[in-house]
Amino acid sequence: QVQLVESGGGVVQPGRSLKLSCAASGFTFSYYAIHWVRQSPGKGLEWVAVISYDGVHEYYADSMKGRFTISRDNSKNSVYLQMSSLRPEDTAMYYCAREGGEAFMVAPLDYWGQGTLVTVSS
Amino acid sequence: DIQMTQSPSSLSASVGDRVTITCRASQGISNSLAWYQQKPGKAPKLLIYTASRLESGVPSRFSGSGSGTDYTLTISSLQPEDSATYYCQQYYTTQHYCCSPWTFGQGTKVEIK
C-alpha cells in the first residue's frame, strides 16, 4: 500500500536550519510529483512546495521562496525539504503528499504522510 | 495568486441532515478543485477531485458540484463519523510547476449536534 513517512522535525531556534525527509513506499516513486503542505497549530492548511517526478522542476509558495529548498532522490524513494532562516511563524506540522497524476498530469493530493512537527522557538 | 473563500467557517448539524459547504475562487479554475476531510490529529484525506469525482472508497453521501469560480461539497445524510474539518483546494494551472501556487480554503469545521 502507498505510504509516506515524514521525519526530521523537532525544536529549532529562530534563524537556524532544519531538513525534513519524506520516505515513500508502495508505488513507483519516480512517476509522481511530491508536495509539502504545512499546518500551524489550530490553523488551516498551507501549501509549501512541489517537486516534479524527475526532480527537474520545483515551485514554492512566495513566503518560502529563498528559504526553503525541495529536493528528491529517486534512488532512495525520498523527498527532502531543507528549511533555513527559520522563523517562529514556520512552526507547524509538515506533511508530504503525493500528487495523484503521473509525470506532468496535474492532479490533487491523493496520499499524505502523518506529518512531522517543527517548532521554531528560542 | 488564486484565493479560495470557503464558507461557512463552522456549522453544527444533526445526524441525517443535508450539509452544504461552498468554496469560491478568485478566478475561474476550470473544475481543478478538490475537497479534503481532516479529523483531529490526522492527515487530510482526499474526498472529491475535479470538482465532482468521488475518490475511491469515499462514501456516496459525499458529492461535489460547481463550475467556473463556485463549488460545493454536499453531505447528503450526515453521519457521526463525518465530524471533521473540510478544506477545498484549487490546483488550476496553465503551466505545471510554475506561476500559480496551489491554495486551500480556510476550512469548515463540521460538528454533530
Side-chain angles (χ1 to χ4, degrees):
Chain A
Q1 69 283 18
V2 173
Q3 272 199 310
L4 297 165
V5 180
E6 302 93 336
S7 61
V11 180
V12 60
Q13 293 180 328
R16 303 297 291 264
S17 299
L18 197 64
K19 186 174 184 177
L20 307 182
S21 300
C22 170
S25 60
F27 64 101
T28 305
F29 180 73
S30 60
Y31 286 7
Y32 293 88
I34 301 293
H35 296 244
W36 286 95
V37 175
R38 72 182 185 181
Q39 186 170 36
S40 299
K43 302 297 185 183
L45 301 169
E46 180 181 21
W47 180 80
V48 173
V50 59
I51 188 164
S52 61
Y53 68 102
D54 55 4
V56 170
H57 302 278
E58 306 159 27
Y59 188 50
Y60 301 89
D62 284 347
S63 59
M64 285 66 149
K65 279 180 191 173
R67 297 192 303 124
F68 290 11
T69 302
I70 190 171
S71 61
R72 69 189 292 158
D73 185 340
N74 283 351
S75 69
K76 295 182 178 179
N77 284 6
S78 293
V79 169
Y80 308 98
L81 186 68
Q82 177 71 52
M83 305 184 294
S84 61
S85 302
L86 282 164
R87 308 163 180 167
E89 55 264 36
D90 294 318
T91 294
M93 182 71 78
Y94 284 75
Y95 296 100
C96 64
R98 188 184 84 165
E99 184 177 325
E102 293 184 4
F104 283 101
M105 184 196 300
V106 181
L109 305 176
D110 61 351
Y111 287 94
W112 297 61
Q114 83 290 350
T116 188
L117 182 61
V118 173
T119 302
V120 183
S121 173
S122 54
Chain B
D1 297 356
I2 300 173
Q3 308 301 319
M4 304 301 291
T5 303
Q6 191 174 334
S7 61
S9 56
S10 66
L11 65 90
S12 180
S14 300
V15 172
D17 282 355
R18 183 182 183 88
V19 168
T20 299
I21 299 168
T22 63
C23 198
R24 172 166 288 177
S26 58
Q27 66 182 70
I29 54 172
S30 299
N31 290 356
S32 298
L33 190 283
W35 291 96
Y36 300 87
Q37 176 192 65
Q38 187 181 32
K39 296 185 177 181
K42 300 292 187 182
K45 172 188 173 184
L46 178 64
L47 298 177
I48 302 281
Y49 62 98
T50 318
S52 60
R53 298 191 176 190
L54 198 65
E55 177 72 350
S56 175
V58 174
S60 58
R61 63 181 179 274
F62 291 92
S63 65
S65 64
S67 63
T69 60
D70 295 325
Y71 298 87
T72 299
L73 173 70
T74 299
I75 309 172
S76 60
S77 178
L78 191 68
Q79 299 301 303
E81 60 267 31
D82 301 335
S83 178
T85 300
Y86 294 83
Y87 295 91
C88 62
Q89 181 205 27
Q90 66 80 19
Y91 50 98
Y92 176 74
T93 182
T94 55
Q95 184 178 348
H96 205 9
Y97 309 122
C98 170
C99 311
S100 179
W102 292 22
T103 45
F104 290 89
Q106 304 96 316
T108 296
K109 186 173 184 179
V110 174
E111 294 179 328
I112 309 295
K113 281 182 184 175

